[in-house]
Amino acid sequence: MTFLLKPRPRTWDLGLDYQTVKEFEVDVTLDPATAGPEVIISQDLKEATWGKPGQWWPKGLAQFDTDPCVLGREGFTSGCHYWELEVKGRFWAVGVARESLQRKGRVLFKPNTAIWGLQKYDELCVALTAPSNTSIPLLNGDIGVYLDYEVGQVSFYAVGSRQLVFTFPVGSFSGERLFPYFCVLLSTIKLSPKAQ
């Protein structure tokens, strides 16, 4: 994987409050057909861990062939959607990706690569913005991801403090299906069940 880790100063963004986005909570599961090498997926499809899988999922065209990445099963082409996950580890990336994201070869986090996400590497946490990454407060624990398809907005929340952490500038998804995106190099992500 190649990453641009030179952060630019963070600017505070306007976004919806935690209670409002929580109303759009959806149940997200992992799609084994997209799981790259060294991704261990739990039987309930709620957890992905970096390591050597004991169970092999069928290979397919949708699979990441080089990097330990996986997409959610649920794809979105309209509406508002929110999901939460717990993240642990030294390196991870979470967010939203276009269906057309290149899955063969290395995933490059540079302008126009079709990912709106946060990335942690050791003690550095950044939003994957162009032309350079934006520093954000170090996140550990639970993260909320909010997608408003029509507005073209992706936001991230620190669940423990119920605070908005970062909102990407409004853009256009051009009618393309978007999927929850996860990279689990040296880490584990666990999707939270939808609150009843």
Side-chain angles (χ1 to χ4, degrees):
M1 276 180 232
T2 303
F3 302 98
L4 304 171
L5 286 176
K6 185 177 88 177
R8 66 181 188 194
R10 191 209 180 304
T11 56
W12 291 100
D13 305 292
L14 298 177
L16 297 176
D17 65 83
Y18 176 79
Q19 283 306 117
T20 302
V21 299
K22 190 82 170 156
E23 295 173 17
F24 299 103
E25 192 167 17
V26 294
D27 194 33
V28 171
T29 55
L30 301 170
D31 184 355
T34 65
E38 299 180 324
V39 176
I40 301 167
I41 297 179
S42 64
Q43 288 295 322
D44 66 359
L45 306 179
K46 287 290 196 178
E47 186 173 322
T49 302
W50 184 68
K52 194 169 191 109
Q55 174 180 357
W56 296 98
W57 302 94
K59 294 193 182 294
L61 296 175
Q63 187 176 41
F64 290 93
D65 71 346
T66 305
D67 294 332
C69 302
V70 62
L71 298 178
R73 272 194 169 166
E74 299 72 19
F76 309 111
T77 56
S78 65
C80 297
H81 311 276
Y82 174 79
W83 58 95
E84 293 180 351
L85 62 145
E86 180 183 12
V87 292
K88 294 180 183 175
R90 186 172 161 209
F91 176 91
W92 49 257
V94 300
V96 176
R98 291 184 187 271
E99 186 171 26
S100 62
L101 173 67
Q102 177 64 35
R103 300 179 206 176
K104 305 308 174 198
R106 296 282 177 206
V107 175
L108 303 176
F109 293 115
K110 61 182 186 177
N112 303 315
T113 58
I115 297 173
W116 295 263
L118 300 183
Q119 170 190 306
K120 178 190 178 236
Y121 184 74
D122 286 333
E123 299 305 309
L124 178 64
C125 196
V126 296
L128 301 170
T129 52
S132 63
N133 294 328
T134 301
S135 291
I136 61 168
L138 186 63
L139 288 175
N140 288 305
D142 291 358
I143 296 174
V145 183
Y146 172 69
L147 165 66
D148 184 329
Y149 196 99
E150 279 74 24
V151 171
Q153 181 178 8
V154 178
S155 299
F156 296 87
Y157 294 79
V159 174
S161 64
R162 300 181 173 211
Q163 295 294 313
L164 174 69
V165 175
F166 185 82
T167 297
F168 278 87
V170 172
S172 171
F173 303 131
S174 306
E176 188 172 352
R177 186 176 300 273
L178 302 179
F179 291 88
Y181 168 83
F182 313 95
C183 180
V184 293
L185 181 63
L186 304 172
S187 65
T188 296
I189 63 100
K190 185 173 184 179
L191 289 157
S192 302
K194 179 182 173 184
Q196 299 299 323

